[in-house]
Amino acid sequence: MTTARSMVAGNWKMNGLKESHEQLDALADMLTTGSEADCDVLLCPPYTIIASFAATSPTRILIGGQDCHTNVSGAHTGDVSAEMLADSGASHVIVGHSERRADHGESSELVAQKASAALAAGLVAIICVGETEAERDAGNTLDVVLSQVAASIPADAAADRIIIAYEPVWAIGTGRTPTTGDVAEVHAAIRGALVDRYQEAGSSIAILYGGSVKPANASELMGVENVNGALVGGASLKAADFNGIIDAYRTT
Ligand code: 13P
């Protein structure tokens, strides 16, 4: 049994304008009028609207960034530091998303440095891992995922400051998901690695599943052992869909 607090997190990726506030407001309404969900709720909008989201978000909805630089400040045109995210009102930051690993050539070692910067700024780091379809087909899923976990968590990271998100690359934005058995196998392997590294505290680190989570499959995926929530892309953009995923953590 894990003792991890569950989280449903939305990664808006490169989507969202000022007008998207209406989705934040709608979600806030749904969370206050609906029955209490037994999970944390996080939205990670693009940098441009983090500060305004954080300023108006009810405390029930946490706000996070989608990436950060390894340095606190300096000559890094176009980059954003973890300190800046914290200063804007963010409490969390995603690091090592597969789109960053693929589009920006980010290695697990760089991801660990970003996570370290996040922790130094007082943010919780959501560290993403996941295999490509070719890696799964070659039977290398566990090797790939476990080596990403080992190398992407900074050496000095406290267990209560990190969250792991398992996102099979081939399931992102495709409408395809692994079987619940496959999800259980990977999450159990990650849990084992976390317990090896942190002993008892490793069982309280949330392990999120991400990749085509929708209201229709959320309960089934969230019901898998060692799945402590979801990292949601497309379905987090509309409050009603995101709320439908949060339903997995409501009893009524
Ligand atoms: P989708 O939910 O759109 O598949 O995206 C998942 C994801 O990449 C979240 O970080």
Side-chain angles (χ1 to χ4, degrees):
M1 263 312 273
T2 75
T3 51
R5 169 84 179 152
S6 298
M7 168 177 274
V8 177
N11 173 9
W12 277 18
K13 309 190 179 184
M14 200 172 70
N15 299 289
L17 300 169
K18 277 189 290 186
E19 67 190 26
S20 313
H21 258 276
E22 64 191 38
Q23 296 303 323
L24 178 69
D25 295 343
L27 181 64
D29 277 353
M30 290 168 192
L31 290 174
T32 42
T33 54
S35 68
E36 182 85 10
D38 188 19
C39 64
D40 290 333
V41 176
L42 171 74
L43 274 184
C44 299
Y47 296 133
T48 46
I49 51 176
I50 285 178
S52 63
F53 267 41
T56 56
S57 167
T59 47
R60 187 75 181 81
I61 305 175
L62 302 163
I63 303 297
Q66 300 173 13
D67 180 46
C68 65
H69 196 270
T70 54
N71 290 2
V72 174
S73 61
H76 303 287
T77 303
D79 281 318
V80 168
S81 73
E83 186 184 52
M84 291 168 179
L85 293 175
D87 188 51
S88 298
S91 54
H92 292 65
V93 63
I94 298 167
V95 291
H97 191 281
S98 62
E99 287 151 16
R100 301 280 328 167
R101 290 180 189 259
D103 298 353
H104 300 269
E106 294 191 3
S107 65
S108 290
E109 291 66 31
L110 181 72
V111 173
Q113 289 172 27
K114 290 185 170 205
S116 195
L119 303 179
L123 301 175
V124 173
I126 302 177
I127 299 169
C128 301
V129 297
E131 83 286 0
T132 62
E133 185 153 35
E135 288 163 342
R136 175 161 284 272
D137 289 346
N140 292 333
T141 297
L142 294 185
D143 282 351
V144 168
V145 168
L146 292 181
S147 64
Q148 287 178 341
V149 167
S152 304
I153 300 176
D156 55 351
D160 62 349
R161 305 304 295 165
I162 60 168
I163 290 172
I164 305 296
Y166 167 57
E167 300 202 300
V169 177
W170 52 271
I172 294 175
T174 59
R176 296 163 59 205
T177 54
T179 64
T180 51
D182 287 341
V183 173
E185 183 185 31
V186 178
H187 279 242
I190 296 172
R191 178 69 63 208
L194 295 174
V195 169
D196 280 351
R197 185 165 175 146
Y198 289 102
Q199 292 77 49
E200 186 63 31
S203 61
S204 62
I205 298 174
I207 308 174
L208 312 183
Y209 167 79
S212 296
V213 179
K214 310 286 178 208
N217 61 19
S219 289
E220 190 182 20
L221 288 164
M222 299 305 103
V224 174
E225 193 162 4
N226 287 306
V227 173
N228 311 116
L231 182 54
V232 185
S236 69
L237 294 170
K238 293 265 179 305
D241 293 342
F242 196 47
N243 188 53
I245 292 169
I246 294 167
D247 274 346
Y249 290 98
R250 291 186 173 102
T251 45
T252 52

